[in-house]
Amino acid sequence: MNACCLTLTGLALCAAAAGAPAWADQPGAPADTLAFSPQAPTAPAAAPDSGLEDGDEWLRAPFGERLLTEAEQWRDDDRDHQKLTPLFDYNRVDPARLGLSYEAQAPGTMFPRLGARVEVATGRKRWLYGAQLEQPLLPRGRVALGVSMVRRTDHSELQQVDDVENSLALLFGRQDYRDYFEREGLGAYVAWRVPDFSTVSVHARNDDYRSLPLWRGTRSFFMRDRVLRDNPQIDEGQVHAVMLRLERLAHRTHRTRAGLYHWIELERAGDRLGGDFRYDRALADVRSVVRLSPATTLVLRAVGGTTTAGALPVQKQFTAGGVDGLRAHAFAQYRGDQMLLGQAEYSIGLWRLHTGALEGGLHAIAFVDAGRAWSNPEHQWDVRRQRLQVDGGFGLGTSEDDLRVYFAKNLQQPRSDFVISVRLQRPF
């Protein structure tokens, strides 16, 4: 009998179809008059903890230290000059991480911008921290000089399930969809904010990478007999690197539902810079939202990575597979020093529900993921020689995108089972 794989917030729960429990009936909405109208389209995931209402949000690819909110977003949100935010994460190496983050900035002035956080990894009794100070060099802050220092529990930038989703997956389903290491270091950069193009910055960093063991005492509320996946070892040592980075955000409002945003980074490590590793690495993640009609939206994502020289340490390798891409494949099933991934989601609003106590709606979703990661000893991005994997399927989502259910299938294996994934945010 075929088995069906259920992924809860990026979490695989496998059960035979005959033995799967029936879903409990949910309490209905209070009796009231119902009014239905066409559903508005959606857009891709906003940065975690943006605090913006549906229909007005900043779209940002989830990369980087995330210590400072971009000045344009901060100004648009009409925030106070300071912000204090509690932090929480639950994973299989810390296991609980508690802390606070703090920001102070006055965009458009010559005052410095400051972002900081402090956390404690309770299980391994380790203090973690991060601080970033950026000083504008010209009025309006278009050119700035910055410094940063961090010690953090980190993971691959391509494993993009956020802290909230991943914590819930571990607490309720005993599954962690990231691999971890500790990174400690400091850096300096100069940034040029080019209007209507990108923020162009040059960085110099020294980072020390350390492996983290699985915390054997990690607990979950349910599925306690499931064996946690081990946290793999990394290539420990120091990385001395310079980077050229381009980052662009997109602003989505109730009037503007389309945008292009990106994260592009070229990195060179070792050689005359010193350190324990030598490589040249490039990674680009480009995303777009296309409003096809008042009720339909097409969301696109393209990711490419290549290594042109040297050897990538394990923690810098590209991965593909799982809820971050190739949704019918296992977590990080493909790994290497080259990568290509394309994703597309088409959503259509079915209806919007209005009652005295509830307002919401439902979207129908069709999607396709294609790509893989691989290694080439000659450092060539030989995508034409690769057998790219293709997954596709359909799903349903709420209008606020706080709940999405996907049914993904490996399209190259017609007899493969559907992988069902439940997400608490848009995947990209």
Side-chain angles (χ1 to χ4, degrees), residues 245-303:
R245 182 180 298 167
L246 289 81
E247 182 181 15
R248 176 174 178 168
L249 284 69
H251 190 198
R252 183 179 76 93
T253 70
H254 68 285
R255 294 182 179 181
T256 305
R257 295 183 178 272
L260 177 70
Y261 57 114
H262 60 244
W263 171 279
I264 301 171
E265 185 177 82
L266 309 178
E267 179 182 6
R268 166 164 285 188
D271 202 4
R272 296 182 180 179
L273 299 171
D276 300 315
F277 305 99
R278 163 73 179 97
Y279 59 83
D280 294 342
R281 178 183 187 259
L283 175 63
D285 189 322
V286 181
R287 308 176 184 205
S288 181
V289 187
V290 182
R291 185 180 185 184
L292 302 176
S293 76
T296 58
T297 302
L298 179 63
V299 184
L300 304 171
R301 180 190 182 205
V303 185

Side-chain angles (χ1 to χ4, degrees), residues 295-329:
T296 58
T297 302
L298 179 63
V299 184
L300 304 171
R301 180 190 182 205
V303 185
T306 184
T307 304
T308 58
L312 289 182
V314 169
Q315 61 271 24
K316 286 287 185 174
Q317 290 179 349
F318 306 115
T319 61
V323 295
D324 300 304
L326 293 178
R327 280 167 271 191
H329 285 73

Side-chain angles (χ1 to χ4, degrees), residues 1-7 11-23 223 226 417-418 420:
M1 180 174 297
N2 289 337
C4 174
C5 281
L6 169 62
T7 307
L11 156 68
L13 306 175
C14 296
W23 291 101
M223 304 191 72
R226 165 168 287 178
D417 296 323
F418 277 100
I420 305 174

Side-chain angles (χ1 to χ4, degrees), residues 140 142 160 165 191 215 236 241 258 260 305 315 319 322 343 351 356 363 393:
R140 303 182 66 180
R142 290 189 174 174
Q160 296 185 350
E165 272 200 296
W215 181 257
E236 296 185 332
L260 177 70
Q315 61 271 24
T319 61
Q343 296 180 274
W351 64 73
H363 288 164

